[in-house]
Amino acid sequence: MDLDAGADAALCASLIASPTVAGTSDNVPDAPAGECSVGLARAAAVAETMGLFAAVAGEAASWATAERRAVLTFLDRSIDVLTTVRATVLVAERDSQAWVGSGDGSFEQWRGRTSRTGKRVARAQVRQATELGAVPEATTAVIEGRIGLDHAKAIGRIASSSSSPTVREAARSPEGQAHLLGLAETMDAGAFETTADRWAAQQDPAGLEQDHQRQRMNRFLTLTPTARGTMIKGQLDNSAGHRLQLALEAVTAKPAADDDRDFRQRTADALDTLATQALESGRYKPDAHVPPQVTLILTEETW
């Protein structure tokens, strides 16, 4: 497949008519006359290469450890790069308005239907694409391998979704981009996200406090007993939510080899553990509930 020049008309037509494309898109136009873009040929080449790799991935257990870890590194970077490239193409498709005549009520609905991922997944993809589109310097850094996708997502979230215009402007500025990228290149994604949020708070302290107060005003928690169990619904401010998450993690033991609970079940059990410990502690008076306790005094001979 010639990737240095546009694909000829026959190849372009065959790529557009392939089951992968034709089976998921209902408004793809006929192939243009003459050559079509290199982009289509290269996208097809990537898909073909992934298929070839998948054919040998089943042999991964027999690979040398160093080789297997190198493959994981290449795959991680490839997935990050492909996600940023998809974001660019999604934004271009959305902005082209070519999807409007499809009968779908929104771009997210169109994407969810034609990709067969559903509207919820499509909405998350479009939101991520919008955030990454706000920070092209960060996406370039992902493509160059200087930072990971999660680093770029953290920068994009601040630059695109912060409630403070001051913070958004600071994150998009050349100085802000340079500072955040410099930090991202030296930290893992989790530490960087925390540091980036702290930097954002420093750009507009008053706005951060106002946002926190808005979150506090909207907090709620309801417990509804039903025949299927107790349903829990609520919303906390970010600080309270973070404390709850840390508390749940603190009482969640590392699962044993025979532990068949999934993550959500372990989290539910952790919440029950917190509630049980609070009730048994006796600290929360006057209505604290302490389960009945029996003390036995035995002689050495009886023991």
Side-chain angles (χ1 to χ4, degrees):
M1 183 178 293
D2 183 3
L3 301 183
D4 295 323
D8 61 27
L11 177 57
C12 185
S14 67
L15 292 176
I16 290 178
S18 68
T20 300
V21 175
T24 58
S25 216
D26 58 357
N27 60 348
V28 175
D30 294 334
E35 296 180 345
C36 62
S37 71
V38 176
L40 178 58
R42 289 188 174 178
V46 169
E48 181 179 5
T49 300
M50 288 297 97
L52 294 173
F53 176 76
V56 300
E59 305 169 4
S62 66
W63 299 344
T65 299
E67 180 180 354
R68 188 166 50 246
R69 291 176 180 176
V71 168
L72 283 173
T73 299
F74 282 122
L75 286 174
D76 288 340
R77 184 180 174 191
S78 297
I79 291 170
D80 283 0
V81 171
L82 285 173
T83 301
T84 63
V85 172
R86 182 183 65 186
T88 301
V89 177
L90 271 177
V91 170
E93 178 66 27
R94 181 195 63 193
D95 294 348
S96 74
Q97 296 292 300
W99 57 272
V100 171
S102 64
D104 295 299
S106 66
F107 178 66
E108 290 81 2
Q109 187 174 3
W110 173 86
R111 170 64 178 168
R113 179 175 61 80
T114 57
S115 66
R116 297 177 181 171
T117 57
K119 188 175 180 180
R120 181 180 62 83
V121 173
R123 186 184 298 113
Q125 289 181 356
V126 174
R127 181 176 63 251
Q128 181 183 96
T130 301
E131 292 176 350
L132 291 174
V135 286
E137 294 86 350
T139 57
T140 297
V142 173
I143 294 171
E144 293 175 350
R146 291 157 46 204
I147 65 173
L149 175 64
D150 288 335
H151 297 83
K153 286 163 57 178
I155 298 174
R157 173 177 55 80
I158 295 172
S160 178
S161 302
S162 172
S163 59
S164 168
T166 301
V167 172
R168 294 198 300 270
E169 182 178 351
R172 297 186 187 195
S173 69
E175 296 80 9
Q177 287 284 289
H179 178 73
L180 290 172
L181 286 174
L183 293 174
E185 292 176 8
T186 62
M187 297 181 175
D188 64 54
F192 171 70
E193 185 171 8
T194 300
T195 302
D197 285 340
R198 188 179 302 118
W199 173 87
Q202 294 170 349
Q203 308 310 304
D204 187 11
L208 178 69
E209 179 59 24
Q210 291 175 1
D211 184 58
H212 175 70
Q213 293 304 324
R214 280 194 296 269
Q215 292 181 18
R216 289 280 296 167
M217 288 293 295
N218 292 325
R219 70 191 186 279
F220 74 96
L221 182 67
T222 61
L223 285 78
T224 307
T226 72
R228 298 168 50 202
T230 299
M231 306 299 293
I232 301 176
K233 182 178 181 180
Q235 177 176 314
L236 304 175
D237 64 78
N238 288 334
S239 296
H242 182 62
R243 286 192 295 272
L244 177 59
Q245 181 178 5
L246 292 178
L248 292 172
E249 292 174 353
V251 298
T252 303
K254 183 178 180 180
D258 59 349
D259 189 343
D260 60 357
R261 297 175 300 167
D262 61 26
F263 174 77
R264 296 183 302 172
Q265 290 172 326
R266 290 197 299 272
T267 302
D269 291 343
L271 183 60
D272 179 43
T273 299
L274 286 177
T276 301
Q277 291 179 353
L279 291 173
E280 292 180 347
S281 69
R283 294 177 55 191
Y284 304 101
K285 299 183 182 299
D287 297 321
H289 169 72
V290 180
Q293 300 182 19
V294 177
T295 302
L296 296 178
I297 302 177
L298 306 176
T299 64
E300 184 176 351
E301 290 78 8
T302 305
W303 177 258

